[in-house]
Each structure stands twice: as C-alpha cells, then as structure tokens.
Amino acid sequence: MQLRFQDFDDFVVFFKPNGIRMHQVDDGHFGFVEAVSQKLAAPLYIVHRLDKETSGLVLFAKNKDSASLLSELFEDHLIQKTYFFLTDRKPDEKFYLVKSHIEKKQNRFVNTPGLPPNSETLLEYVQPAGDFHLWKAIPKSGKPHQIRLHAESMNIPILGDPEHGGAPWFRLCLHASRLNFTLHGKSYSFESEIPPSFKKPDPLMIRNLLDDAFFNRSELFHLEKHDSFRLLHLEFKDLRVDIFNDHLWVYDYSANGLTHLQQTQIQNFANDQHLHSVIRHMLDRGQGVGGLEQTTLQQSTPETTWHAFEEKIQYVLKTNSGFSPGLFLDQRENRQWIRKMALDKNVLNLFSYTSGFSVAAALGGAQQVTSVDASKKFLEWSKENFKANALSSEKYEFFAQDCMLFLKGAQKRHRTWNLIICDPPSFGRSQDSIWKIEKNLGELAHLIWNCLAVNGQLLFTCNYEKWTRHELIAEFSKNLPHGKFKLDRLPLLSLDFGETDDTQNLMKGFLLTRLS
C-alpha cells in the first residue's frame, strides 16, 4: 500500500496513528520514522515529537541542514501547533491559560509547584461531544506531556490518560490537528481532521474503535477499493480485524465470544463501509482446526469464496478452509521483498499454504518456483491463486509432501535453490509425521542449508510464541557452519500492523545469506 504524505523540498508531513512510537529505542523496537523511511527508501530526520499514544500531524526533515533549521523553529516556538482533546469532566470555564514548571521525577513527568514556569498552554472549550467535552489546546512551549499535565491541573484530564488523572478509554484522546509556520519566506499550513471518536464518543467503544482504526489507515495510506489490510491489530486485546476487498474478517480471541451487542456494532460498521462481515471465534492456536471452520463462525456470508488484492496481486480467499481466509497480511512486506529478489532465481517455498510467496516470486520473474506443502487441498488452492494472476500452474512445481521428506530427497539429488522461503507452523500433523518446531527446527535448518546455493538467501519466519527472535535465530543457526552465513533483519512490518516490536509481534524471523 502506498503511504499518504505531503512532500516538499526540505520536509515531509505525515499522519501518525495513535499507538506507534516516534522512533527506534533499541535493536528490537522500531518506530514510525524507521518504517516510513524504509518505505520511501530515504533517510528522514526527527525535528519534533508526538507521544506514542497521540495521533496527528508530524513533520520530518529530509536532510541535516533542514533538520537543523526546522528544529530551531520548533525550539523558538515559531511553529504553531494546535491539538484537540476529549475529557469526561464538565468545564468550569471556557478558557484557561496554564503555566507551570514541568520536570521528570522517578520516570514520570510532573508539574512542580513553586518553581518558575517553563511551559505554557492555552486551553479553549470547543463543544460538547455526547456525554464528553471537546477542547482545543495551543501549546506555547514544547515540554513532554505538557498538554496532558496542563489539562489535568485544570481538572479536565484527557480521556484515556490514566497516568494524568483521565478516565479509562480505548485510546488517549489527544490529536495533533494543525501545524502553521514560515520557512524560507513561504507560509505553510497543514490540518488533520479530528478522529471520528472525538465527534461521537460511544461508551460501548467497539464502534469507536473500528471507526478510528479505519480513519487511521485512511489517513496513513492511499487505500484502493480492492485492497487488503489489517484494520485492528493491538488496539483491542481480544480482537484482530482484517479487510479483504469487500469483506471484514474478524478474529475473536475472547474466551466466550463476542456479545450480541458487540456483534451488532461490528455489523453496523461493516454495513456503513459496504463490507460483508465474517466473525470467527478463534480456538487455541497450534491445536489445529479439526473441522470446526463452520461451527466457530459467529457471522458469515452466503458465498464461501471471493477475491482480494494485495499490492496488485490477486488472491482467492475462502470462509470454509481453515481459521484464516487464505492470506496472512503480516507477511505483506516479506512477499514484496521476495518479488523484488526473485528475478531469474530458482525459488523454493516450504510449508507453502496457499502459496502467496510463490505467486509473488513468479510475478517477480523467477526462473522456477517450487511450492511444497503436506496438504493437497492447499496446493490446489495455490493453483487457483496462480490462475487468478494469469500464471499457468503447469510451468511451476507443486509437491504435496512432508517438507522434511522433500528436503531429504532434494539433498540426495543434490538439488539447490537460490531463494528459499520457510514459514513453518508451530505444530503440524501429516500422514507421515508430527511436526513440532521446538523439536524439529535443528534438523530443518540443516536440510535447508544443504539445499541453499552459495550466495543464496533464506527468508525464515514463524509464530512460535515461546521463543523470542534472538532465541529463534540461536536455535536455527547453532548447528550451521560458523562464519559461512550472514544474518539480516526482515523488512519492517507495514504500519497497519503498528510498530515493529520484537516483544509484541507474533511473527518473528530473519534473512540468511549463505556465503560459501
């Protein structure tokens, strides 16, 4: 998906969703600027910051000279910023000019009475919003948590800000809406509409949650009619929601399933967006579907098959063939990487499922693509995906076989590949064997190594929850020849999945290059 942003000679302006930190804090915890820099294939420089839970406009410089100049404008308060926030408290006044001394004590930002003010904010009442109240904030300085602390001090704490006295909510209701400044003699003005939940907050929250999530993705990406993307990721504990073309696919991880009222709110959202809703109550991951595809559906559609696009690649999706419709969207950036790297390569896709990686490789000009999966049903589905993209499945290889047995046979035949994709399940069962990643990964790594050509590359991912990324790499590489390979990071996750965070993201993996 293409990012939506405003591009100028010296800077770019983006919309940052709530829930994404501004920048990387260590090797495994990346932020917004790293993600957008990767997509633009160009460095960007931070000149101001928004709190992780604050949404709205953010400006990045495109070079060091511009970064220095824009940083000075922010430091000298020559860039006017306007925010909006919600509170559940009735106002005593319509205007407040708040001044205080803000400092950090014991890892918390606080107002400290008795010291000279180092911060100033104008707070102006806007209007009621249901049972809540909308305020405008214009900071005259730029201290951390400034608006949040000043709202708290006036007894109008921000909704969703329990750290500073606010009532619980699904998000921090603070939005950076406007930026105004002059640079090189030219005036600039940028504005972002306030989120839907600020206009009509609903105590039941589910509808607000979906509306805000759609707003965030629409502001961040140029969404096209048939696109597929993650609508709701970590914003709500028990729900993950994807959009596949005209279908809203809801994964419900709650213990007892969604209530009738929650299902109704989801259906109303789907109707307003002209989407068909499918709600699946998910069982314990890793235990298999066991023929429960239909009994776990809380809402569905009459048709069982439809088509959707991802990065202009078409996929066949189904409601009756497992707990997923047939495409894991967190692999989007990895599929894009495979497509870019596949030209003239021999490509092997292990545990290929519906062969999304294989289709991407074929469209990228791979010389040969081999897809291996124990399920004949999934390989037939794979051929449907090839056909949907005008690719003749007869030109490519499909093996309905246990992947370990396939690799052993390939090793005996001295067959190698330039590019291998491997995304094994944590647990699997075939006619020939039972697969457990914690038990079988070492043998799998050895077999893959023997089938990977010199200078060849492996893209490896898994969702095994008991290992961190570093533990996965250690387990995979411990029996490989020392000094004979190089490890790299996978592409960062697309921002519809939030920030790339090794401690939060279920999918983990790496790129490996065989050096000799």
Side-chain angles (χ1 to χ4, degrees):
M1 295 188 295
Q2 296 299 310
L3 288 172
R4 183 189 296 274
F5 61 98
Q6 298 181 67
D7 191 9
F8 299 88
D9 290 341
D10 297 297
F11 62 89
V12 291
V13 178
F14 278 93
F15 168 87
K16 185 191 83 69
N18 57 295
I20 301 179
R21 63 177 155 259
M22 280 288 292
H23 58 83
Q24 180 177 359
V25 293
D26 58 42
D27 178 56
H29 301 79
F30 296 86
F32 188 74
V33 68
E34 289 81 30
V36 295
S37 294
Q38 174 182 277
K39 292 296 286 185
L40 298 184
L44 295 175
Y45 299 85
I46 292 176
V47 294
H48 72 122
R49 287 171 170 78
L50 295 180
D51 291 341
K52 176 176 178 175
E53 299 305 331
T54 301
S55 59
L57 296 176
V58 61
L59 184 152
F60 296 113
K62 295 171 71 172
N63 54 67
K64 291 183 178 179
D65 289 340
S66 298
S68 177
L69 186 57
L70 287 163
S71 294
E72 283 185 22
L73 291 180
F74 275 105
E75 289 169 8
D76 294 339
H77 315 306
L78 295 176
I79 296 182
Q80 186 181 68
K81 299 174 286 183
T82 303
Y83 293 74
F84 288 89
F85 68 88
L86 279 181
T87 182
D88 63 337
R89 309 291 176 85
K90 290 183 179 180
D92 295 325
E93 305 287 344
K94 300 295 184 181
F95 295 92
Y96 297 105
L97 182 62
V98 189
K99 300 179 181 181
S100 73
H101 185 92
I102 294 176
E103 60 183 347
K104 194 172 187 179
K105 288 185 177 179
Q106 298 179 341
N107 293 320
R108 292 186 73 240
F109 290 101
V110 296
N111 285 318
T112 302
L115 293 177
N118 61 3
S119 63
E120 180 179 338
T121 308
L122 174 65
L123 303 176
E124 179 182 343
Y125 183 72
V126 179
Q127 62 189 34
D131 294 331
F132 304 93
H133 300 275
L134 182 67
W135 284 77
K136 179 167 68 174
I138 301 176
K140 304 295 185 181
S141 52
K143 294 297 180 182
H145 290 214
Q146 178 175 316
I147 297 172
R148 298 163 65 180
L149 284 164
H150 286 176
E152 179 187 23
S153 69
M154 294 297 104
N155 198 33
I156 48 171
I158 297 174
L159 192 64
D161 190 12
E163 182 178 351
H164 298 300
W169 200 248
F170 71 89
R171 61 159 294 174
L172 174 69
C173 292
L174 177 62
H175 181 72
S177 185
R178 298 172 191 157
L179 289 171
N180 297 281
F181 59 94
T182 299
L183 181 67
H184 301 314
K186 183 177 179 180
S187 296
Y188 294 93
S189 181
F190 303 98
E191 184 167 358
S192 169
E193 183 182 354
I194 63 173
S197 66
F198 286 37
K199 302 172 186 176
K200 195 176 180 181
D202 184 344
L204 294 174
M205 288 194 239
I206 289 287
R207 180 59 195 264
N208 278 173
L209 191 69
L210 293 167
D211 284 335
D212 273 22
F214 192 84
F215 170 81
N216 283 347
R217 273 66 175 176
S218 299
E219 291 289 293
L220 185 57
F221 297 105
H222 289 283
L223 298 179
E224 298 185 11
K225 182 179 179 182
H226 301 294
D227 273 343
S228 302
F229 59 94
R230 174 57 56 97
L231 176 64
L232 207 61
H233 188 50
L234 297 178
E235 294 96 329
F236 192 75
K237 178 184 176 184
D238 293 327
L239 287 183
R240 305 290 182 268
V241 181
D242 291 330
I243 288 181
F244 297 99
N245 187 359
D246 59 353
H247 281 59
L248 182 79
W249 188 282
V250 179
Y251 307 85
D252 169 22
Y253 291 98
S254 62
N256 300 313
L258 294 168
T259 66
H260 176 72
L261 185 56
Q262 289 173 324
Q263 291 186 43
T264 299
Q265 288 201 322
I266 291 171
Q267 183 63 61
N268 290 341
F269 169 82
N271 291 342
D272 288 347
Q273 297 295 336
H274 308 291
L275 300 170
H276 306 291
S277 65
V278 179
I279 301 177
R280 186 178 292 285
H281 190 209
M282 303 296 288
L283 301 182
D284 187 17
R285 277 194 294 263
Q287 300 305 307
V289 176
L292 298 174
E293 291 95 335
Q294 295 305 311
T295 59
T296 57
L297 285 175
Q298 296 175 325
Q299 283 184 16
S300 190
T301 55
E303 74 278 6
T304 58
T305 301
W306 78 101
H307 289 228
F309 285 82
E310 178 196 73
E311 303 292 353
K312 303 190 185 305
I313 300 177
Q314 188 170 184
Y315 294 96
V316 179
L317 304 177
K318 303 181 181 184
T319 62
N320 61 354
S321 297
F323 282 0
S324 164
L327 188 66
F328 296 114
L329 296 180
D330 56 354
Q331 294 277 17
R332 183 190 306 122
E333 298 300 315
N334 294 335
R335 280 188 285 269
Q336 282 288 92
W337 185 86
I338 288 293
R339 187 173 184 176
K340 291 175 184 176
M341 300 299 296
L343 183 64
D344 296 330
K345 302 281 181 64
N346 290 328
V347 180
L348 172 62
N349 185 8
L350 298 167
F351 304 95
S352 61
Y353 185 40
T354 60
S355 299
F357 278 110
S358 302
V359 173
L363 290 172
Q367 187 176 60
Q368 179 57 268
V369 181
T370 304
S371 304
V372 185
D373 197 278
S375 169
K376 292 181 180 179
K377 180 179 74 172
F378 287 151
L379 288 177
E380 289 304 313
W381 192 346
S382 299
K383 293 175 184 178
E384 293 180 56
N385 281 330
F386 272 74
K387 183 179 179 181
N389 292 279
L391 296 167
S392 172
S393 60
E394 295 179 1
K395 291 176 57 179
Y396 304 96
E397 295 182 322
F398 299 87
F399 289 92
Q401 190 176 7
D402 177 274
C403 286
M404 302 287 273
L405 292 177
F406 175 85
L407 288 169
K408 289 174 182 177
Q411 181 179 266
K412 288 180 181 178
R413 296 190 298 273
H414 304 288
R415 189 172 180 188
T416 60
W417 286 266
N418 313 107
L419 188 56
I420 298 178
I421 305 109
C422 187
D423 179 36
S426 300
F427 173 86
R429 189 190 305 272
S430 69
Q431 282 185 327
D432 305 301
S433 64
I434 293 176
W435 160 267
K436 291 184 177 180
I437 193 168
E438 68 272 30
K439 177 182 176 183
N440 301 116
L441 182 62
E443 183 184 6
L444 175 64
H446 177 73
L447 291 169
I448 288 175
W449 178 262
N450 289 336
C451 293
L452 185 63
V454 174
N455 297 320
Q457 291 181 290
L458 164 69
L459 187 153
F460 189 96
T461 61
C462 75
N463 288 347
Y464 187 54
E465 297 183 53
K466 294 183 180 179
W467 283 341
T468 65
R469 176 178 177 271
H470 290 296
E471 289 169 339
L472 169 66
I473 290 172
E475 288 293 325
F476 187 93
S477 60
K478 65 183 180 183
N479 294 322
L480 300 185
H482 182 70
K484 302 292 186 181
F485 60 91
K486 178 170 71 81
L487 291 168
D488 291 295
R489 271 200 164 271
L490 297 171
L492 299 183
L493 283 169
S494 175
L495 283 166
D496 49 325
F497 282 84
E499 59 205 13
T500 297
D501 188 321
D502 287 353
T503 60
Q504 289 187 341
N505 303 141
L506 181 61
M507 184 183 72
K508 52 190 71 74
F510 55 87
L511 300 171
L512 180 148
T513 302
R514 178 167 179 167
L515 302 177
S516 61

